[in-house]
Amino acid sequence: VKALEIFKIYTDRLKDGESEALCEEISSDFLEIQENDLIFEKSIEFKGKAYVVDNNLVIQLCLKDKASIPWNVCNRMLMTVIIVDNLYHLEPIKRIKSGVFDFSNVVRESLLLETPSFNECQPSCRDKEGITKYLKKEELVSGNAYSPFENL
């Protein structure tokens, strides 16, 4: 993944308790994903900050993106929102030899890990009718069942 300037954090600027605000909307092209079954929207939003604590670079981020993923039954591409809330990445300063840390891989990995492997169509999908008998039905817990946390 090519390093873009907005993904670079200069650690020498974060001395003496300084922090750097990270707030951008960037094209999803940097993800370099060429899949037919996973199409990311045009832009990714991220907000957060970077700072140094005890010789460690701390990056705190919230990420938001949208991706189209097919449902395995009807193969329709369905949009799903991907949110990574309160992502923290810790990088020891001594590992950052150049004094510049590129966090694009952190964003890429986090988004891919949070992307669901499948998406479910709307309940009104006509193709879903043929498989409903195979889907697990939610059962209500009866009044006589033991619930260990009911008195908390």
Side-chain angles (χ1 to χ4, degrees):
V1 176
K2 241 195 247 183
L4 299 170
E5 193 63 33
I6 62 168
F7 288 115
K8 291 181 181 177
I9 297 174
Y10 297 89
T11 57
D12 60 336
R13 297 179 187 171
L14 301 176
K15 304 285 184 198
D16 302 322
E18 293 290 320
S19 68
E20 182 178 340
L22 307 169
C23 183
E24 290 289 335
E25 188 169 326
I26 184 167
S27 170
S28 62
D29 293 341
F30 86 95
L31 295 172
E32 296 179 348
I33 296 179
Q34 307 296 323
E35 297 287 332
N36 292 333
D37 292 342
L38 177 60
I39 302 168
F40 282 94
E41 282 294 295
K42 298 289 182 205
S43 64
I44 298 168
E45 298 174 32
F46 64 87
K47 295 178 184 177
K49 61 183 175 178
Y51 51 94
V52 174
V53 174
D54 295 331
N55 293 319
N56 292 296
L57 173 65
V58 180
I59 301 171
Q60 181 268 320
L61 290 172
C62 293
L63 309 170
K64 184 177 180 183
D65 195 8
K66 293 179 183 175
S68 293
I69 304 167
W71 188 37
N72 294 343
V73 174
C74 66
N75 288 326
R76 287 189 193 114
M77 294 299 280
L78 303 170
M79 186 68 63
T80 187
V81 177
I82 302 166
I83 297 175
V84 180
D85 225 5
N86 289 322
L87 165 70
Y88 281 86
H89 179 79
L90 197 70
E91 190 73 29
I93 294 289
K94 63 184 174 186
R95 274 201 193 156
I96 308 170
K97 302 291 184 202
S98 65
V100 180
F101 182 72
D102 174 20
F103 67 96
S104 61
N105 281 333
V106 173
V107 171
R108 183 179 193 277
E109 289 173 9
S110 299
L111 284 173
L112 288 174
L113 285 171
E114 288 298 318
T115 302
S117 55
F118 65 91
N119 210 352
E120 188 172 343
C121 204
Q122 299 297 322
S124 61
C125 178
R126 59 180 154 66
D127 294 327
K128 193 173 186 178
E129 292 173 7
I131 65 162
T132 53
K133 61 185 174 188
Y134 301 109
L135 298 176
K136 185 177 180 180
K137 294 183 176 118
E138 292 186 30
E139 297 177 15
L140 297 176
V141 177
S142 67
N144 296 335
Y146 174 69
S147 178
F149 303 110
E150 67 185 15
N151 295 326
L152 294 179

